[in-house]
Amino acid sequence: MINYLYQEQNWQSQLSDLITDPLELLQLLQLSPEQLLSGAILASEQFKLRVPRAFVQKMTPGDPLDPLLLQVLPHHLELEEHPNFVTDPLGEEQANQQLGVLHKYKSRFLLTLTGACAVHCRYCFRRHFPYQENLPKNEDWLNIKNYIESQADINEVIFSGGDPLTLSNRKLKLWIERLELLPQLKFLRIHSRVPIVIPNRVDKELVSLLKNSRLRIIVVVHSNHANELDDFTCAKISELVEQKITVLNQAVLLKDINNSAQILADLSYRLFDAGIMPYYLHVLDKVKGAHHFDLSSEEINLIYKDVLENLPGYLVPKLVREIAGEKNKTPLFGVSTF
Ligand SMILES: *Cc1c(COP(=O)(O)O)cnc(C)c1O
Ligand code: SF4
């Protein structure tokens, strides 16, 4: 790992050379295999380990509690059953109107173009979602178009997944060009963790594709800890910002990873350095296998109050929960006092 120069390797080859073996990951980090308690391998069979080497390089060798490592390393506690932690906590299977379309909110909907992610985050609420059955092909475009045109409220499409930036620029271009043909659409949002885990994904072609679109582009990256944002990563993402593309961040509040006001403040400042605005701080979705990342409401409120006190308002992400069937994300802090 020491001399692995991911900065010089194109993103396609990084994406095809992911680490999928927990033992290899531990070895790269000079950690002993005993780090994986029995059960962890089984957990990794249920939801595969998947992590780019560029992301591993941001972890601290020899630290079994590294906050980036803990987001991706399979854990035996994932196998524990907890009654409130279920496979589809957000009821997404019901919200699925059309192949590839997930329309839960008025003005905007998710278009799922791929089920693949560059990294598997152990806390992900989509770890059980059957994407493979829900991917639109070229011939489905007409149905999607008809759907959009039948919903006059829609002015924004959100590319989601999976992770849309695992797709080739050619494929992204194809879909963007289709959407540009619909006058009712004004905004295109791209939700992706790839710029964080493989910064080279922000290549010249992508930047030019996004900069030249008729649609106003918003990229929402996903970073939970300042260590994910090294100088190289920030420089890459800044290339988008320099083209007047709005870049926002969403994070998930996770036990043992970022459950302190200090860590969250560092994250906000670091994001701001790169020109990224903090957007959402999600509380954990109660998905089966993620219980060990959970925090109590009391803890969350204490942390968030501290965040509010310590950061200027523009660097405070909105604390929200996604509630199945609600028309928007539900803001959490202090709502009961109104
Ligand atoms: C959060 C979310 C959106 C977008 O919501 P915003 O509040 O506009 O960011 C859209 N679709 C799904 C499924 C979501 O979870
Ligand atoms: S959808 Fe996002 S959070 Fe879930 S595994 Fe993929 S990159 Fe991670």
Side-chain angles (χ1 to χ4, degrees), residues 21-23 36-48 74-76 79 122:
D21 175 1
L23 294 172
L36 288 171
L37 295 179
S38 66
I41 296 290
L42 190 58
S44 79
E45 280 161 15
Q46 293 181 1
F47 184 53
K48 283 254 173 267
H75 197 292
H76 67 282
L79 302 173
R122 308 312 296 178

Side-chain angles (χ1 to χ4, degrees), residues 56 63 74 76-77 115 119 134 173 177 207 215 227 270 276 280 316 328:
V56 176
D63 181 4
H76 67 282
L77 288 177
V119 61
N134 186 41
K173 186 162 186 277
E177 284 172 353
V207 175
L215 301 166
N227 292 1
R270 191 65 187 144
I276 308 169
Y280 278 144
V316 178
N328 51 269

Side-chain angles (χ1 to χ4, degrees), residues 242-259:
E242 281 155 19
Q243 299 306 328
K244 300 205 171 66
I245 293 162
T246 302
V247 186
L248 308 172
N249 183 63
Q250 48 182 342
V252 184
L253 189 53
L254 298 164
K255 185 174 165 191
D256 296 336
I257 291 169
N258 59 9
N259 55 325

Side-chain angles (χ1 to χ4, degrees), residues 113 136 138 167-176:
L113 298 178
N138 284 333
L167 295 172
S168 66
N169 290 323
R170 189 186 55 77
K171 198 148 189 194
L172 287 171
K173 186 162 186 277
L174 185 73
W175 280 97
I176 292 175

Side-chain angles (χ1 to χ4, degrees), residues 92 102 104-105 108 110 126 158 189 279-280 322 329:
E92 288 204 331
L102 202 59
K104 300 202 289 188
Y105 302 123
R108 54 219 185 275
L110 289 192
R126 295 205 181 109
I158 304 172
R189 216 188 307 173
Y279 178 39
Y280 278 144
E322 173 79 11
K329 298 255 189 291

Side-chain angles (χ1 to χ4, degrees), residues 47 115-127 131 160-163 191-194 197 222 252:
F47 184 53
C117 288
V119 61
H120 280 175
C121 313
R122 308 312 296 178
Y123 52 83
C124 181
F125 73 93
R126 295 205 181 109
R127 52 185 287 165
Y131 297 108
S160 181
D163 193 314
H191 281 188
S192 175
R193 190 146 158 77
V194 184
V197 297
H222 170 180
V252 184

Side-chain angles (χ1 to χ4, degrees), residues 140-152:
D140 296 310
W141 162 237
L142 215 56
N143 287 334
I144 295 171
K145 176 174 178 286
N146 289 339
Y147 182 77
I148 297 173
E149 287 175 338
S150 74
Q151 308 279 317

